[in-house]
Amino acid sequence: MTIAEEKNPPVKLPNEPAITPQIVAEHGLAPDEYERLLKIMGRTPTMVELGIFSAMWNEHCSYKSSKVWLKKLPTKAPWVIQGPGENAGVIDIGDGQAAIFKMESHNHPSYIEPYQGAATGVGGIMRDVFTMGARPVANLNALRFGDPEHPKTRHLVSGVVAGIGGYGNCMGIPTVGGETNFHPAYNGNILVNAMTVGVAPSDRIFYAAAAGIGNPLVYVGSKTGRDGIHGATMSSTEFNEDSESKRPTVQVGDPFVEKLLLEACLELMATDAIVAIQDMGAAGLTSSSFEMAAKGGLGVVVELDKVPMRETGMTPYELMLSESQERMLIVLKPGREELARKIFEKWELDFAVIGHLTDTERMVLSWHGDIVGNIPIPPLVTEAPMYERPWTLTPLPTELDAAKVPAPKDWKASLLALMGSPNLASKAWIWKQYDHLILGNTAIRPQDGDAALVRVANGKAAGHKGLAMTSDCTPRYVQAHPETGGRQAVAEAWRNITAVGARPLAVTDNMNFGNPQKPEIMGQFAGAIMGMAEACTVLDFPVVSGNVSLYNETNGRPILPTPTIGAVGVIDDIATAVGARLTQAGLALVLIGDTKGWLGQSIYLRELCGREEGAPPPVDLAVERRNGDFVRGEIVGRRVAACHDLSDGGLLVALTEMCLSGGTGATIKLPKGAAPPHAWLYGEDQGRYLVATTDGEALIEAARKAGVPAVHLGYSGGVNLAVEGLLDVALEEIRAVHEAWLPDYMNAAV
């Protein structure tokens, strides 16, 4: 469509600069992308139109480098109500209920301004969930920081944790799980991935597709300010020495307003007034209005002078690109304006009719009666850049011979060193700042199980079902071999859900990578997707939502490739669930799964030998499913007292964590032929679980009949952790080291 076909060509506002190559570049558009824009428009754009194209075509909003690969992920299953493409994914959890969930990144903002960056990340992902009609029931987060010795790391940890806790606690939503890791690769670019899970009636899901020519377009929530302008564009570029100057692009959140917005939206959703609803996230009013019109195949007129503003002298450009928080855009049924207005004014929120839907398939922007923007909507979608970037596959490293990795000279010292290392040390200092028990439905709290578990009222006379949820990724595996690492991230999430007794149902992902214009980085992304797709297919674990965060680099140094997997499962009767706590003596300890003693890319190798090398442990998905289905059946059958999957640090670390969590010791003995002992105890072979049971012989016999490898290792009891012939150490000595590292680190002088 050309300018000749426009009914109302836009006017140029006073003091509006001429569009120059420099201004185009500052908006993140490549020269060929700008030429594509000119072809669509048939003329030079106004500044506000240029800003809209910049917002909609940046990496953060358009997925232009990743879309071709994301299409390879499985997204369907009988229990999937809504897959990718909406604000969040939706799955059926029975009893007329749906779980709605998504994970999203706020990496760049959190590095620049850790408190507000993390806080608004939490606020944004909660809006994605409740805009679809769900009441949030739990939050999770996956955090990656740089080397603890780096001068900025302590400051970033402090700010991010405070921001997550501050926002989530004020909203009254428990933060129930996640992970926190440290690695020098994140020195200049931390990762803050936030996940929210909500519950809604399965027949009351709200979507973003606009409908009804003439229907009113309504703005609700906070007023619009100048915060966050170009936030999405900033998140689509690498960092450099000037990254601190991007502080104004970080949004500022107010959880108390968000709480009001949540309650007001849910109250309006209980009526029949809403046609479509969309939160204003990245790119603010631009993305929300455009996406609603595009999904509905309609046009939209937006009267920008009617937008509630908290600052004087704001321009159309600023209003369209502001990423001010706690705002929603709603299409109402005709005649429902006053009903909606009363609800939002009762909750002391702004309410304004700012436009209406049309049949033109154009976005028309007016400013005090003048047309300042007029953009055809379909080509903005159909002709948006989508790249098949060159990529090179990361070769599989040579398998590391465990016999050539030195055994500990002092077994006790090695265990204490591992349990007190940054990645394995207790993260209680973090999660105790989050209110993880609010609402009273948290059944398994952080560090007490492989997955968090939240009760869900199901309307039955007795019993409650539970939602299990987790966040997982092992970036060092992905770095070594992306396909294996992607496969393992999905498998571990599936295991963690299984280990509490729940059925894994679906995945949300957060793909954190470096610059996709580098073939080796694009190869990491492609490899990870291939591994994830295979695992999700074999495990019946579809991807229903997600987020891509690229350009996570500083001065050309990329992060470890980090495809974070958030996962949700359901357990029909929460009374059958188990955690990982050893709370009683006399339980038989049974190892499920084969052990080779895989030390390549292991925590043992890195922390005690100072080496990061070798192939990561292979993932046999058929074995994962077989072993996991068996373990889940034993848990639901009430034949398991505690269960822990084996991951970082292998068997001995898993056993130590079970003992520390439950306050009960254990004594185990290595099976015959388990050599070398350090590989058997610290190897990170996949598809394994450590199970505590009152009847070890019966469980082993059941495993034999199911074709599942199982070996009796020993028993719980006492106040020490012992491995016959190698190790005997008091739990309290381990606990002192395990719990001290993070508080000592955070309390140390900068």
Side-chain angles (χ1 to χ4, degrees), residues 139 309 352 380 436 492 679:
N139 291 329
M309 304 172 220
L380 194 56
H436 54 283
E492 185 174 352

PDB file of all heavy atoms in Angstrom, residues 139 309 352 380 436 492 679:
ATOM      1  N   ASN A 139       5.685 -17.626  41.345  1.00  0.00           N
ATOM      2  CA  ASN A 139       6.768 -17.101  40.515  1.00  0.00           C
ATOM      3  C   ASN A 139       8.009 -17.958  40.692  1.00  0.00           C
ATOM      4  O   ASN A 139       8.238 -18.556  41.753  1.00  0.00           O
ATOM      5  CB  ASN A 139       7.124 -15.661  40.912  1.00  0.00           C
ATOM      6  CG  ASN A 139       6.049 -14.661  40.565  1.00  0.00           C
ATOM      7  OD1 ASN A 139       5.314 -14.825  39.597  1.00  0.00           O
ATOM      8  ND2 ASN A 139       5.939 -13.603  41.357  1.00  0.00           N
ATOM      9  N   MET A 309      -1.137  10.862  30.754  1.00  0.00           N
ATOM     10  CA  MET A 309       0.291  11.154  30.801  1.00  0.00           C
ATOM     11  C   MET A 309       0.680  11.643  32.189  1.00  0.00           C
ATOM     12  O   MET A 309      -0.056  12.412  32.807  1.00  0.00           O
ATOM     13  CB  MET A 309       0.656  12.229  29.773  1.00  0.00           C
ATOM     14  CG  MET A 309       0.264  11.890  28.354  1.00  0.00           C
ATOM     15  SD  MET A 309       0.503  13.291  27.220  1.00  0.00           S
ATOM     16  CE  MET A 309      -0.959  13.146  26.193  1.00  0.00           C
ATOM     17  N   ALA A 352      -9.205   5.388  30.117  1.00  0.00           N
ATOM     18  CA  ALA A 352      -9.427   6.342  29.029  1.00  0.00           C
ATOM     19  C   ALA A 352      -9.747   5.589  27.740  1.00  0.00           C
ATOM     20  O   ALA A 352      -9.073   4.617  27.403  1.00  0.00           O
ATOM     21  CB  ALA A 352      -8.204   7.231  28.816  1.00  0.00           C
ATOM     22  N   LEU A 380       3.653  -4.829   7.713  1.00  0.00           N
ATOM     23  CA  LEU A 380       4.541  -4.720   8.867  1.00  0.00           C
ATOM     24  C   LEU A 380       4.795  -6.099   9.463  1.00  0.00           C
ATOM     25  O   LEU A 380       5.847  -6.351  10.050  1.00  0.00           O
ATOM     26  CB  LEU A 380       3.935  -3.777   9.905  1.00  0.00           C
ATOM     27  CG  LEU A 380       4.853  -3.264  11.028  1.00  0.00           C
ATOM     28  CD1 LEU A 380       6.085  -2.574  10.487  1.00  0.00           C
ATOM     29  CD2 LEU A 380       4.090  -2.322  11.951  1.00  0.00           C
ATOM     30  N   HIS A 436       7.963 -17.045  50.056  1.00  0.00           N
ATOM     31  CA  HIS A 436       7.672 -18.260  49.317  1.00  0.00           C
ATOM     32  C   HIS A 436       6.478 -19.020  49.893  1.00  0.00           C
ATOM     33  O   HIS A 436       6.079 -20.054  49.333  1.00  0.00           O
ATOM     34  CB  HIS A 436       8.897 -19.178  49.267  1.00  0.00           C
ATOM     35  CG  HIS A 436       9.483 -19.495  50.603  1.00  0.00           C
ATOM     36  ND1 HIS A 436      10.261 -18.597  51.307  1.00  0.00           N
ATOM     37  CD2 HIS A 436       9.418 -20.612  51.375  1.00  0.00           C
ATOM     38  CE1 HIS A 436      10.635 -19.164  52.451  1.00  0.00           C
ATOM     39  NE2 HIS A 436      10.135 -20.366  52.508  1.00  0.00           N
ATOM     40  N   GLU A 492      16.237 -32.692  32.190  1.00  0.00           N
ATOM     41  CA  GLU A 492      16.349 -32.409  33.620  1.00  0.00           C
ATOM     42  C   GLU A 492      15.070 -31.775  34.161  1.00  0.00           C
ATOM     43  O   GLU A 492      14.628 -32.098  35.265  1.00  0.00           O
ATOM     44  CB  GLU A 492      17.550 -31.516  33.929  1.00  0.00           C
ATOM     45  CG  GLU A 492      17.731 -31.328  35.432  1.00  0.00           C
ATOM     46  CD  GLU A 492      18.970 -30.590  35.835  1.00  0.00           C
ATOM     47  OE1 GLU A 492      19.819 -30.313  34.980  1.00  0.00           O
ATOM     48  OE2 GLU A 492      19.101 -30.273  37.038  1.00  0.00           O
ATOM     49  N   ALA A 679      34.730 -41.038  40.152  1.00  0.00           N
ATOM     50  CA  ALA A 679      33.855 -40.887  39.005  1.00  0.00           C
ATOM     51  C   ALA A 679      32.460 -41.424  39.312  1.00  0.00           C
ATOM     52  O   ALA A 679      31.449 -40.834  38.902  1.00  0.00           O
ATOM     53  CB  ALA A 679      34.447 -41.599  37.789  1.00  0.00           C
TER      54      ALA A 679
END
